[in-house]
Amino acid sequence: MSKHSITIAGKTYSSRLLVGSGKYKDFAENAAAAEASGAEIVTVAIRRVNLGQDAGAPNLLDFIRPERYTLLPNTAGCYTADDAVRTCRLARELLDGHKLVKLEVLGDPKSLYPDITGTLDAAKTLVKEGFEVMVYCTDDPIQCKRLEELGCVAVMPLAAPIGSGLGIQNRYNILSIVENATVPIIVDAGVGTASDAAIAMELGCDGVLMNTAIAEAKDPVLMASAMRHAIIAGREAFLAGRMPRRRYASASSPVDGVIG
Amino acid sequence: MSLTVNGRPEPLPSPATLDGLVDALKLTGQRLAIEHNGQIVPRSLWEQTAVADEDRVEIVRAIGGG
């Protein structure tokens, strides 16, 4: 179904839902939720190995297999452009030259809001080094356009702060961002439930990336399925062209021939 | 000799290579990336890369994240 596929950096994926791999109770639940979501792209974080850990302990990539999913390493926890760039270089080495990365440069640990300056600086460097940068950013239409102009392959404005579940806070900004974009616009962060994802797609977004909305649902596998449907429903509603909003009623049944 | 690995002191008999360090830490066979004194060393060069006393090594892997 080509209307539900998305092309990022020249590669086409059959799902417009992208998911994270954090906050699950265990790897098995993570794998089951990813499967139920239908996602083909899964974000991962890059962190120090625990020294002294049991050598036989299971590994995320035994469950979220690189042969099955396109892994999207993120730069979560980076507060400077230098750290984000360094993390991406390590991720590229870790994943055998894989170039697709999710860039985030945070400004503050309480809000986890993007630092615009750091994000722009890191994006510039990473694009120059040949990375395919999907960039997490604010819902500022100017920032989004600047990041696109720097060569990012996708721009990912937040709906609301990471893990907040508040849904899209400014639909008009998202509309402006979508209207001005020539690269995929993927809402990333702040989605809470299925309707939030559907709204993003109805606004014309190309996809939605979420983690907490699924992982912190009471039934993550069921929520993953709900999100899969929401993305499809929202996309079809967008393509169908919605009816206009009206101030007053417009009857659905004819007025002629009413019994009297 | 003593190296700093992931911010912690790690004793290691010398001479040693990055490959030997990975073995000593029981990390053999895992998907890892290594930074040695600030430079990323590709997996194919671990066997040839000697480590010295007071070297700083970062060893990372992929974990769950959003």
Side-chain angles (χ1 to χ4, degrees):
Chain A
M1 286 195 286
S2 65
K3 62 177 178 277
H4 295 297
S5 64
I6 182 173
T7 300
I8 301 169
K11 183 169 172 191
T12 301
Y13 303 87
S14 67
S15 169
R16 292 175 177 273
L17 175 58
L18 292 67
V19 297
S21 58
K23 294 175 163 173
Y24 285 96
K25 85 166 187 261
D26 55 43
F27 290 142
E29 182 178 81
N30 189 349
E35 167 89 41
S37 75
E40 296 193 337
I41 297 174
V42 180
T43 63
V44 297
I46 305 297
R47 291 286 181 269
R48 286 170 162 175
V49 174
N50 284 334
L51 299 176
Q53 178 183 27
D54 172 20
N59 209 292
L60 173 72
L61 300 190
D62 296 330
F63 290 80
I64 305 291
R65 306 185 61 81
E67 311 84 65
R68 165 96 196 257
Y69 294 100
T70 294
L71 300 184
L72 183 60
N74 68 23
T75 67
C78 292
Y79 288 80
T80 66
D82 282 349
D83 281 348
V85 169
R86 189 175 157 214
T87 301
C88 288
R89 290 173 182 151
L90 280 162
R92 182 170 54 185
E93 166 57 25
L94 184 75
L95 298 175
D96 307 324
H98 178 89
K99 295 185 284 192
L100 193 69
V101 292
K102 168 177 159 172
L103 170 63
E104 45 187 297
V105 180
L106 307 175
D108 153 65
K110 187 166 179 181
S111 68
L112 295 180
Y113 220 67
D115 175 297
I116 293 184
T117 319
T119 302
L120 289 164
D121 286 347
K124 219 175 293 188
T125 305
L126 290 168
V127 167
K128 198 152 56 153
E129 292 188 9
F131 287 94
E132 294 166 348
V133 181
M134 299 177 66
V135 58
Y136 163 70
C137 57
T138 68
D139 58 358
D140 170 350
I142 306 298
Q143 187 198 20
C144 288
K145 196 63 187 173
R146 293 287 171 263
L147 288 164
E148 177 186 313
E149 288 163 354
L150 287 174
C152 293
V153 301
V155 172
M156 308 205 292
L158 52 75
I162 293 170
S164 68
L166 293 172
I168 290 177
Q169 292 301 289
N170 193 330
R171 298 182 187 196
Y172 294 99
N173 276 23
I174 300 294
L175 267 174
S176 295
I177 292 164
V178 166
E179 278 166 8
N180 292 332
T182 61
V183 294
I185 298 299
I186 295 170
V187 161
D188 175 17
V191 167
T193 189
S195 48
D196 299 331
I199 288 169
M201 299 309 289
E202 286 168 22
L203 292 170
C205 292
D206 298 282
V208 180
L209 199 166
M210 64 178 73
N211 188 147
T212 310
I214 296 175
E216 285 191 4
K218 291 192 175 58
D219 183 342
V221 174
L222 189 56
M223 183 58 87
S225 170
M227 291 300 185
R228 184 170 66 85
H229 290 106
I231 296 286
I232 290 170
R235 180 66 179 168
E236 290 188 343
F238 171 72
L239 293 172
R242 64 156 295 150
M243 58 168 279
R245 290 181 167 87
R246 294 187 173 93
R247 174 69 180 82
Y248 294 103
S250 157
S252 299
S253 308
V255 172
D256 285 350
V258 169
I259 56 172
Chain B
M1 58 183 161
S2 178
L3 313 177
T4 304
V5 182
N6 288 355
R8 285 177 18 177
E10 202 59 51
L12 197 66
S14 85
T17 60
L18 283 179
D19 211 43
L21 174 63
V22 167
D23 282 345
L25 294 170
K26 302 200 192 355
L27 297 171
T28 315
Q30 290 194 33
R31 186 180 278 276
L32 308 167
I34 297 185
E35 212 187 57
H36 175 226
N37 293 335
Q39 298 298 314
I40 296 178
V41 180
R43 201 169 307 137
S44 54
L45 297 180
W46 292 353
E47 225 179 336
Q48 315 161 233
T49 307
V51 292
D53 193 38
E54 292 183 18
D55 276 358
R56 289 167 356 257
V57 180
E58 290 282 334
I59 306 179
V60 299
R61 89 269 207 227
I63 63 160

